[in-house]
Amino acid sequence: MNAARAAAPVLDRVYRDHRARMLAALIRVLGDFELAEEALQDACTLALRAWGEAPPDDPVAWLLTAARNSAIDRLRRARLGREKLARIGAAPEAVTTMTDDGEESLRTLGDERLALIFTCCHPALAEDARVALTLQAVAGLTAGQIARAFLVGEPTLAQRLVRAKRKIRDAGISLEVPSDALLPERLSSVLTVICLIFTQGYTAAYDQPERRTLPEEAIRLGKLVATLMPDEPEALGLVAMLLLHDSRSTARYTARGDVVLLADQDRTRWDQKKITEAIGVLGRALRMGRPGPYQLQAGIAALHAQAGSDDQTNWPGIAALYGRLLTLTPSPVVALNHAVAVAEATNPAEGLALIDRIEGLDRYHLLHAARADLLRRLGRMTEAASAYRRARELATNPADRRFLAGRFHDLDTTESP
């Protein structure tokens, strides 16, 4: 017990800092997600007993060697055949060496983690499985944490993860960064998953820990991809966009957890360090001359961030960028954002006319909330009340529901909710 207590702090640090890279190295050799995870856990359990007060000089190499040996033992016990055992035995160096020193090793080490991200985001997997697997394998979140973030039961989420890992194994999906020919398509999937992880946290309830942990993980993953693929402007654009949105996180709610609209936020609480970093990253992306959807979204967020007040916001510029985004990636949500920007740049009636043309968002509470606001500004209070009521019915975040209820009650109407 004393040995385990002495080893635990070192093991915790090594596991936290190097888990994704160790897991990637093991998956590469074993070709089996579940076996790699189980072997790594076996190695950690053994380390608690073996390290005592004198951990090895290279604890990562020790853990990888122990995990490799555990995997061999598991395969022997399961009698899965000599061929797989021979494959592991022929590649001992693949999982026994992993240093973290010097710039020369950055590319090799990063490629392991980048390959793990691309494997988790393989197009053969369903989108919800890609997000969940990336959060567990790369970000280190537990099944329980992921289940809470996605509002599903832990057993359901666990089964989703098991199916994804077995599909990777059974389909023989290798852990590698795809070839240049496949990179654009596969990179898009990776960036989409990272964006979804951020959004899941950004829209979480005020009192949920995922509201901070998921955006932080998304930004970290985005920076990893952008660092290892510096010639991909969309990876840089995504990082810039996430940083800009995250810079406003502390101003989005009151101390009681009530929603504060962008126009009403205390801009002195915005994180200027993140804004400055994001503007620099976006500048690097734009200089490559290949604008894409994430760069355009980052440009929109930058115009908000650079405005000293809501009155000083460059709404015509934002509307124009949304117009370009709508051309590149036509979707009802982009059309809604474009309509809101047009309403601010011109007048509420023009924005409302655009909203009323949008199809496919009847169950999206933000469409009804935006429509209600424009109707209110046009003095059409009865219609606004109906739209606010519908928005509140559809909202899932308690803070959003409280905000919409407040807007409803502030209307100059005698209707009851």
Side-chain angles (χ1 to χ4, degrees):
M1 181 64 71
N2 289 335
R5 189 179 297 116
V10 177
L11 180 61
D12 286 345
R13 176 181 56 77
V14 172
Y15 187 80
R16 182 179 63 252
D17 293 345
H18 301 284
R19 175 188 174 280
R21 283 183 284 183
M22 290 190 293
L23 186 60
L26 290 166
I27 295 170
R28 186 184 298 279
V29 173
L30 300 173
D32 189 323
F33 229 112
E34 290 180 289
L35 180 59
E37 289 180 317
E38 291 165 355
L40 185 55
Q41 287 303 314
D42 290 344
C44 290
T45 300
L46 180 60
L48 285 174
R49 298 196 302 267
W51 286 6
E53 297 183 3
D57 292 336
D58 191 343
V60 171
W62 192 100
L63 287 168
L64 287 170
T65 300
R68 171 182 172 273
N69 292 337
S70 172
I72 291 174
D73 289 341
R74 282 176 175 270
L75 288 172
R76 280 177 178 151
R77 290 196 299 269
R79 297 180 180 179
L80 292 182
R82 296 178 181 176
E83 194 173 302
K84 200 163 190 178
L85 283 169
R87 176 186 171 197
I88 300 170
E93 293 303 314
V95 294
T96 58
T97 305
M98 190 174 290
T99 125
D100 197 20
D101 299 322
E103 293 183 7
E104 292 297 320
S105 66
L106 175 61
R107 176 63 60 178
T108 300
L109 293 175
D111 281 349
E112 292 287 349
R113 299 181 72 187
L114 189 60
L116 182 56
I117 295 174
F118 273 98
T119 301
C120 292
C121 297
H122 195 279
L125 303 176
E127 189 174 86
D128 57 356
R130 296 178 206 168
V131 177
L133 196 56
T134 302
L135 284 171
Q136 186 187 63
V138 185
L141 272 65
T142 67
Q145 289 173 310
I146 301 168
R148 286 196 302 273
F150 287 88
L151 303 177
V152 299
E154 187 170 344
T156 299
L157 194 283
Q159 283 299 312
R160 186 180 299 171
L161 289 168
V162 167
R163 286 194 297 270
K165 293 168 187 175
R166 290 179 181 172
K167 186 163 189 176
I168 288 172
R169 180 196 64 196
D170 296 342
I173 297 171
S174 59
L175 189 134
E176 61 185 5
V177 178
S179 65
D180 290 347
L182 296 175
L183 195 55
E185 172 192 352
R186 295 285 297 279
L187 177 63
S188 176
S189 176
V190 170
L191 298 182
T192 297
V193 166
I194 293 173
C195 189
L196 287 170
I197 291 170
F198 181 90
T199 302
Q200 194 68 36
Y202 194 74
T203 57
Y206 175 78
D207 58 351
Q208 294 300 307
E210 290 80 10
R211 190 173 74 87
R212 288 308 315 145
T213 57
L214 293 186
E216 288 170 358
E217 289 297 341
I219 291 171
R220 185 178 68 83
L221 293 174
K223 285 183 175 181
L224 174 62
V225 174
T227 298
L228 297 169
M229 305 178 73
D231 296 327
E232 291 293 340
E234 277 294 84
L236 293 169
L238 175 64
V239 171
M241 183 190 78
L242 299 186
L243 284 169
L244 286 163
H245 284 297
D246 197 53
S247 70
R248 303 196 298 263
S249 61
T250 59
R252 294 177 59 230
Y253 294 94
T254 67
R256 296 192 310 164
D258 293 326
V259 171
V260 181
L261 293 181
L262 178 61
D264 301 323
Q265 288 175 15
D266 179 358
R267 298 182 182 226
T268 64
R269 298 181 62 197
W270 291 0
D271 190 328
Q272 293 301 317
K273 184 177 179 181
K274 287 181 180 176
I275 292 172
T276 300
E277 180 185 2
I279 298 299
V281 171
L282 178 59
R284 284 170 51 201
L286 294 176
R287 284 193 291 274
M288 296 182 192
R290 288 179 283 151
Y294 289 119
Q295 295 168 74
L296 290 173
Q297 292 176 74
I300 291 165
L303 289 179
H304 281 297
Q306 292 172 318
S309 67
D310 185 59
D311 292 340
Q312 297 172 356
T313 302
N314 180 4
W315 283 110
I318 291 173
L321 287 174
Y322 270 124
R324 291 179 63 188
L325 184 61
L326 192 57
T327 300
L328 282 180
T329 56
S331 78
V333 173
V334 175
L336 173 61
N337 289 326
H338 175 248
V340 171
V342 168
E344 297 293 340
T346 57
N347 59 75
E350 191 167 339
L352 182 63
L354 291 174
I355 288 178
D356 286 341
R357 296 176 197 162
I358 298 172
E359 297 180 353
L361 289 185
D362 186 61
R363 299 197 61 78
Y364 187 52
H365 81 278
L366 291 179
L367 178 137
H368 298 283
R371 189 169 181 275
D373 182 62
L374 296 182
L375 288 166
R376 176 187 60 81
R377 290 160 62 183
L378 290 169
R380 295 160 61 176
M381 299 305 180
T382 300
E383 293 171 88
S386 178
Y388 275 129
R389 187 187 299 111
R390 179 63 173 157
R392 190 184 61 176
E393 290 171 354
L394 294 171
T396 57
N397 187 320
D400 290 340
R401 291 175 62 87
R402 289 196 303 272
F403 172 82
L404 292 166
R407 279 296 174 102
F408 179 94
H409 287 294
D410 288 342
L411 289 176
D412 183 17
T413 176
T414 57
E415 289 191 21
S416 59

